[in-house]
Amino acid sequence: SGSGSGARSGSSSVVCRVMAGEIYNQGNELTDEEQRQLDILAATTRRIKELGAKGRTKEAIRTLADLSKEGIEPDTLAATTLVRACTRDMALAQSVFDELFVDFLQPDEVTFAVLLRGYGDCVPPRWTDMDAALTRMKKTYGIEPTSTSYNVLLNVCASTNDLDRGQDVIDRMLSDDVDPDEFSLEAVSKRRALRSYLKKSFGL
């Protein structure tokens, strides 16, 4: 419930504002209207996630659209959550991405990881679209891939037993100076050859 949300301390307010992706001075207080908008945005994002998990895509899209009735613009997190909710139909997910991010919002790497995961979950994985998403991420938005992106690719390679492509992904990580993290090892944990290649390549 939202009880007590209007009486948060200054330190909580600063946390809220940082979470909203904005920078404020330490002493500033949230106005009641700012707090109302943050609360509605957070509740909307949770609702979209729930609807997506249930496959209720049209309702999820409508839920984000309804923010405008409250005079609230979606943020990157809410929009990314909607893209994720639509990934059972990648044509729809890509369309939602294009509508929200091309002229309106700035995506982040997590947004693109959602697209990568969606295309990777197709049977067979849509590698051409995944490569296009990575290229767009770098060239259009200036976002360099980190292990967040590469772990999705490794996971797809491991789950489809595509060992050659998996080794190519690891080679690309090396050439891009991207170190693996704990999730990289987890992504290839079921494929001994990929796990060994990753460890050997990075001296793990």
Side-chain angles (χ1 to χ4, degrees):
S1 74
S3 61
S5 61
R8 290 178 180 168
S9 68
S11 61
S12 297
S13 299
V14 171
V15 170
C16 287
R17 287 175 165 175
V18 170
M19 288 172 64
E22 299 176 27
I23 300 171
Y24 288 78
N25 293 327
Q26 188 72 24
N28 286 354
E29 292 286 338
L30 276 178
T31 65
D32 288 345
E33 175 59 18
E34 286 173 331
Q35 185 63 63
R36 182 189 76 87
Q37 292 195 11
L38 279 179
D39 288 344
I40 290 172
L41 192 54
T44 297
T45 302
R46 285 194 301 272
R47 179 64 177 154
I48 291 168
K49 184 177 180 180
E50 291 166 2
L51 290 168
K54 295 174 182 175
R56 291 156 63 179
T57 309
K58 289 181 181 177
E59 286 181 66
I61 293 171
R62 197 158 52 241
T63 299
L64 189 78
D66 283 346
L67 280 174
S68 62
K69 296 177 184 176
E70 301 282 349
I72 300 171
E73 290 187 351
D75 61 3
T76 296
L77 177 59
T80 298
T81 303
L82 181 59
V83 174
R84 181 183 282 116
C86 297
T87 50
R88 297 181 192 194
D89 176 353
M90 283 309 296
L92 177 61
Q94 187 67 62
S95 173
V96 167
F97 174 93
D98 291 343
E99 185 158 331
L100 291 172
F101 289 108
V102 168
D103 296 316
F104 183 42
L105 291 166
Q106 174 71 18
D108 56 23
E109 189 181 12
V110 173
T111 311
F112 280 97
V114 167
L115 286 178
L116 293 174
R117 165 59 61 196
Y119 284 125
D121 283 343
C122 295
V123 181
R126 289 166 56 177
W127 285 102
T128 300
D129 290 309
M130 294 163 79
D131 287 338
L134 281 171
T135 300
R136 189 176 186 184
M137 180 175 86
K138 293 204 293 191
K139 294 194 172 178
T140 304
Y141 296 99
I143 302 170
E144 289 297 324
T146 69
S147 57
T148 297
S149 298
Y150 281 113
N151 290 347
V152 175
L153 305 183
L154 287 174
N155 193 279
V156 174
C157 292
S159 63
T160 57
N161 203 22
D162 192 341
L163 302 184
D164 288 341
R165 199 185 298 268
Q167 290 185 352
D168 287 343
V169 170
I170 293 167
D171 290 342
R172 282 168 66 182
M173 291 176 71
L174 266 174
S175 65
D176 283 353
D177 243 359
V178 176
D179 288 330
D181 57 21
E182 61 192 288
F183 300 107
S184 309
L185 287 168
E186 188 177 312
V188 296
S189 61
K190 295 178 182 176
R191 301 295 174 195
R192 183 179 297 172
L194 282 182
R195 188 172 69 246
S196 298
Y197 192 76
L198 182 68
K199 287 184 172 182
K200 180 182 174 184
S201 297
F202 288 94
L204 302 177

